[in-house]
């Protein structure tokens, strides 16, 4: 039986559509703002696909499921979407949730193109069912560490919370700094109040604090506390996971949120498609689109191209990642399997270290392009 066939009882209109399941955090404790941006990109791309003929004349239909940053909820959504006959899965922002979804997609034999999650090990074992657009965490965070080291920060601290993602990031930073004679002190943001955390920064004589914590809590209170502590006037605050990218960061912190470097996955200049998509996303979101929204759009662009070329059979689709050569919003998208990679990985994803300009916090400054 074709794995993408619609289940009994579906109407003829639904049966004629090619379905893609979308996993996004749209309620707390998920990062709702990030989820909205991913979804905006996914939905805009689906509309563009349908306006240009769909998939061999069949409309593309997005079945959206809210993961709420809950791995168990994501697994249940994958099960449901598989039963509904989706040709593929797309989306997800939170790495731990994406890992659970990828593992289940591999077990069920459903192609999954992960839009935004960067955790290196999305599955326990290598699989052809899963591919990813952003670079793995180890690559991006090593670049970020090198930027800090080049700026003279050899003794830093991280404020972190219990999570596979934050633990992985801490490990990447510690290994990179140790290899260059630096040090990274991990501080438990759940056990320490913001004031107590400031005391620890003074005691350890660090020159930078990286926020490996959730937004807005406890990231916002920590930033405010550090900014107001005169003992830490020269201390750099960083947020490699990208919290300052979003409008809520600026809304909550204002000037205090500027000058905090973070990672984002945008080129120096958008491709022609990206320029058009940026304007459409800005209108849809009512604000400047984040790189996450572009990732959502590119996810559908890739899947639509593969569906048109290889059809809706799940097994054929999963075998076709290496055939992708798609013009995305940020450049051409291809996939490969780097040594040690468990999933198919997009090649040459653009990477920047950016902050909000202290002189004009609504504007971004590009500090490094990698």
């Amino acid at each position: 039986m074709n794995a993408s066939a619609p289940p009994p009882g579906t109407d003829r209109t639904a049966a004629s559509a090619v379905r893609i399941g979308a996993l996004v955090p749209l309620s707390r404790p998920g990062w709702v703002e990030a989820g909205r941006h991913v979804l905006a990109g996914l939905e805009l791309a689906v509309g563009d696909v349908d306006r240009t003929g769909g998939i061999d004349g069949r409309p593309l239909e997005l079945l959206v499921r809210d993961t709420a940053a809950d791995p168990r909820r994501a697994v249940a959504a994958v099960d449901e979407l598989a039963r509904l006959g989706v040709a593929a899965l797309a989306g997800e922002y939170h790495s731990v949730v994406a890992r659970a979804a990828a593992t289940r997609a591999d077990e069920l034999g459903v192609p999954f193109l992960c839009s935004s999650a960067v955790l290196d090990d999305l599955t326990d074992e290598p699989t052809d069912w899963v591919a990813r657009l952003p670079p793995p965490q180890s690559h991006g965070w090593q670049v970020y560490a090198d930027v800090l080291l080049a700026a003279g920060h050899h003794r830093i601290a991280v404020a972190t919370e219990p999570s596979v993602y934050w633990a992985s990031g801490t490990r990447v930073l510690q290994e990179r700094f140790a290899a260059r004679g630096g040090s990274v002190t991990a501080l438990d943001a759940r056990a320490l109040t913001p004031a107590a955390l400031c005391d620890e920064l003074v005691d350890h004589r660090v020159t930078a604090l990286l926020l490996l914590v959730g937004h807005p809590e406890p990231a916002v209170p920590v930033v405010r506390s550090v900014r107001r502590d005169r003992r830490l006037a020269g201390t750099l605050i960083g947020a490699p996971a990208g919290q300052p990218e979003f409008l809520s960061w600026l809304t909550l912190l204002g000037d205090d949120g500027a000058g905090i470097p973070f990672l984002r996955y945008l080129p120096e200049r958008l491709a022609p498609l990206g320029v058009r998509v940026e304007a459409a996303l800005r209108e849809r979101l009512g604000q400047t689109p984040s790189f996450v929204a572009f990732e959502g759009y590119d996810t559908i662009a890739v899947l639509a191209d593969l569906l048109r070329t290889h059809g809706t059979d799940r097994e054929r689709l999963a075998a076709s990642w290496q055939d992708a050569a798609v013009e995305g919003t940020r450049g051409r998208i291809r996939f490969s399997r780097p040594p040690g990679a468990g999933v198919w990985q997009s090649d040459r994803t653009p990477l920047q270290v950016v902050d909000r300009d202290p002189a004009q916090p609504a504007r971004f400054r590009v500090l490094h392009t990698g």
Side-chain angles (χ1 to χ4, degrees):
M1 178 179 176
N2 189 323
S4 62
T10 54
D11 60 44
R12 294 179 63 185
T13 302
S16 68
V18 177
R19 291 175 158 182
I20 292 178
L23 305 172
V24 281
L26 296 175
S27 60
R28 301 290 298 167
W31 194 343
V32 176
E33 188 175 15
R36 285 183 55 246
H37 280 239
V38 175
L39 183 58
L42 294 170
E43 290 178 335
L44 179 64
V46 167
D48 284 354
V49 169
D50 286 343
R51 277 190 292 275
T52 55
I55 308 300
D56 295 330
R58 299 168 65 186
L60 199 58
E61 181 183 3
L62 204 61
L63 302 185
V64 181
R65 296 297 181 269
D66 174 17
T67 63
D70 184 343
R72 293 171 298 180
R73 190 162 170 172
V75 169
V78 172
D79 288 346
E80 178 198 4
L81 292 165
R83 290 194 302 270
L84 290 173
V86 298
L89 299 167
E92 194 45 50
Y93 176 81
H94 296 286
S95 281
V96 176
V97 180
R99 176 176 166 79
T103 299
R104 189 58 174 161
D106 177 48
E107 292 170 350
L108 296 178
V110 183
F112 174 32
L113 179 51
C114 182
S115 301
S116 295
V118 298
L119 191 67
D120 280 43
D121 297 324
L122 275 181
T123 54
D124 289 329
E125 300 293 336
T127 176
D128 286 329
W129 292 100
V130 181
R132 169 170 51 198
L133 281 179
Q137 184 181 27
S138 58
H139 171 68
W141 288 43
Q142 284 173 2
V143 171
Y144 188 91
D146 289 345
V147 170
L148 292 184
L149 287 160
H153 297 286
H154 294 272
R155 192 183 184 94
I156 73 166
V158 296
T160 188
E161 296 178 293
S163 162
V164 172
Y165 174 66
W166 298 128
S168 173
T170 299
R171 185 168 58 253
V172 170
L173 294 168
Q174 288 175 331
E175 291 174 356
R176 198 67 166 184
F177 272 76
R180 288 158 176 74
S183 66
V184 177
T185 299
L187 302 174
D188 188 341
R190 289 192 178 180
L192 296 168
T193 65
L197 192 145
C198 287
D199 291 339
E200 291 287 334
L201 298 179
V202 173
D203 290 344
H204 285 90
R205 294 177 295 168
V206 301
T207 63
L209 168 69
L210 305 188
L211 303 170
L212 276 56
V213 294
H215 170 69
E217 298 288 338
V220 169
V222 169
V223 171
R224 286 175 177 156
S225 185
V226 173
R227 292 295 198 210
R228 284 156 178 70
D229 193 318
R230 294 182 179 179
R231 300 172 299 172
L232 301 172
T235 303
L236 174 76
I237 303 175
Q243 297 94 324
E245 167 85 359
F246 294 93
L247 182 61
S248 62
W249 180 270
L250 179 62
T251 301
L252 291 170
L253 284 166
D255 291 349
D256 283 345
I260 298 179
F262 62 93
L263 285 166
R264 72 176 183 182
Y265 306 110
L266 287 177
E268 186 174 357
R269 290 183 179 82
L270 288 170
L273 172 63
V275 174
R276 177 180 68 78
V277 168
E278 181 182 35
L281 285 170
R282 187 186 299 271
E283 182 177 354
R284 181 178 288 256
L285 290 165
Q287 59 183 260
T288 301
S290 70
F291 69 88
V292 175
F294 292 102
E295 289 175 329
Y297 188 98
D298 287 345
T299 301
I300 296 299
V302 169
L303 289 176
D305 182 79
L306 294 179
L307 286 164
R308 286 165 173 159
T309 305
H310 298 280
T312 60
D313 180 79
R314 291 173 178 170
E315 192 167 352
R316 287 184 61 194
L317 198 60
S320 69
W321 300 119
Q322 62 188 332
D323 299 331
V326 180
E327 290 300 329
T329 60
R330 299 163 297 160
R332 197 160 183 82
I333 302 171
R334 296 180 182 272
F335 294 90
S336 64
R337 289 291 286 269
V343 302
W344 286 89
Q345 180 67 55
S346 177
D347 291 339
R348 296 186 295 276
T349 304
L351 182 152
Q352 297 175 337
V353 179
V354 181
D355 71 359
R356 289 186 175 274
D357 189 345
Q360 191 178 346
R363 188 178 77 86
F364 294 112
R365 298 185 305 181
V366 178
L367 308 176
H368 177 84
T369 300

